[in-house]
Amino acid sequence: MEPVEINAGEYYLRHLRADDLLDDRPALVEAFADPEHSRYIVNYQVRNLAEADRYVTQRAAEWFSEERCSWAIAEPTTGALLGEVGLKDLDLTGGTAEIALWIHPDRRGRGISVPAVNAAVRFGFGALDLRVVRYRHHPDNTASEAVAKRCGFERVGVSEDPNQPGQPLVTWIQPAPSSV
């Protein structure tokens, strides 16, 4: 599947880039160096431009292999990377996916997450014909809990973090809207 850009209201969602016109790698290195970011996102190392380049390449490959749809959340006038949102663990046959989300430390608390998540969920239901989208977060991550609530996810319980066995994750779901 080819990457798709999405108008998310005040922001736009585009593929991550590392080219002559737009280079997200420095912002990726900054975000992944943040202690709060690395506390919740433990399965990626982006410590330098080479690792950031591999991260960008991986995200593109995941689109093409239909494993994950991932977007840079971008400022519309400059294209600056504000964060990343995606549909991970994509199962097109089963009609399920899980939201992946992070916001650059310099941009947190500015209302970026909700329109980005809502746009990704709409894409999942509309373009990919998903039936259910999950959202999971660490129990201490109150910002993620607020995003889940504001985006209309329903809390369904606690599950184990596949990246940190024994650690809990709060699990939410949002079923596709019913067609009448």
Side-chain angles (χ1 to χ4, degrees):
M1 153 175 47
E2 292 281 332
V4 173
E5 291 191 358
I6 300 174
N7 179 338
E10 296 176 53
Y11 312 102
Y12 79 99
L13 308 183
R14 60 168 173 77
H15 64 281
L16 288 165
R17 293 180 53 179
D19 56 54
D20 292 340
L21 298 176
L22 196 53
D23 190 353
D24 293 324
R25 294 174 308 160
L28 287 167
V29 172
E30 289 172 4
F32 279 83
D34 176 65
E36 187 76 6
H37 185 99
S38 60
R39 176 177 179 211
Y40 297 122
I41 301 176
V42 298
N43 50 336
Y44 296 100
Q45 298 266 336
V46 182
R47 297 167 293 204
N48 54 51
L49 292 180
E51 288 178 349
D53 194 54
R54 284 192 291 277
Y55 185 86
V56 170
T57 301
Q58 177 182 348
R59 287 294 185 256
E62 290 167 339
W63 265 99
F64 289 108
S65 65
E66 297 182 346
E67 295 172 50
R68 180 185 194 124
C69 300
S70 184
W71 295 273
I73 306 166
E75 197 284 323
T77 57
T78 65
L81 177 69
L82 307 175
E84 184 181 14
V85 66
L87 295 168
K88 67 179 185 176
D89 299 330
L90 195 55
D91 179 355
L92 296 176
T93 304
T96 63
E98 181 177 330
I99 289 293
L101 173 71
W102 60 263
I103 302 299
H104 191 284
D106 293 344
R107 303 299 184 140
R108 291 186 191 130
R110 298 185 187 185
I112 296 169
S113 297
V114 171
V117 168
N118 282 336
V121 168
R122 279 192 310 275
F123 177 83
F125 290 147
L128 301 179
D129 207 23
L130 297 179
R131 293 191 298 275
V132 174
V133 175
R134 285 185 321 274
Y135 186 104
R136 295 189 304 169
H137 64 83
H138 188 279
D140 295 342
N141 193 335
T142 57
S144 281
E145 179 177 355
V147 170
K149 288 177 180 177
R150 291 186 61 208
C151 291
F153 284 83
E154 173 189 340
R155 184 180 167 142
V156 293
V158 177
S159 59
E160 185 174 84
D161 186 340
N163 298 308
Q164 298 182 72
Q167 295 297 313
L169 290 175
V170 179
T171 303
W172 306 71
I173 62 165
Q174 187 173 137
S178 333
S179 54
V180 179

